Amino acid sequence: LITSKPGRLFLNLYYKYSPSIAAFIARHKALRFVVRLSLLPLVAFSYSMLRLGPILSTIIFVFILAIPISIISLHRIKKKRQASP
């Protein structure tokens, strides 16, 4: 990151604001839980990229994302059918 201008900007912002953000999160138990939960997919994807490689990791996560999208779509279709006479 340090070799590019956008990377240096990101690092400067990170070092400037992250300590106060981290302290705020640390003081709120519910917020800590939400942050950890929201970071879980990123951690899992990073782990799989290191262990399985980019192609297989991407395929797995596309299928994982497709499951809730399919369920929501099917639920909406079912609701529409029930609503129409």
Side-chain angles (χ1 to χ4, degrees):
L1 290 174
I2 199 109
T3 59
S4 69
K5 189 171 183 170
R8 287 190 300 276
L9 176 63
F10 171 77
L11 288 175
N12 287 336
L13 291 171
Y14 174 80
Y15 285 115
K16 183 176 182 178
Y17 295 108
S18 66
S20 58
I21 293 170
F24 180 79
I25 293 169
R27 288 191 304 267
H28 298 87
K29 188 175 181 179
L31 187 55
R32 281 196 314 264
F33 175 76
V34 169
V35 169
R36 288 177 181 163
L37 192 64
S38 65
L39 287 174
L40 209 55
L42 180 63
V43 172
F45 186 68
S46 300
Y47 179 81
S48 71
M49 289 286 276
L50 291 171
R51 299 292 178 192
L52 304 174
I55 295 172
L56 189 54
S57 295
T58 303
I59 291 169
I60 291 168
F61 280 97
V62 165
F63 280 111
I64 289 172
L65 289 174
I67 292 169
I69 291 170
S70 300
I71 291 170
I72 292 168
S73 297
L74 291 172
H75 180 70
R76 286 183 177 173
I77 291 169
K78 186 178 176 182
K79 267 179 99 170
K80 278 185 181 180
R81 286 184 183 164
Q82 288 174 347
S84 64

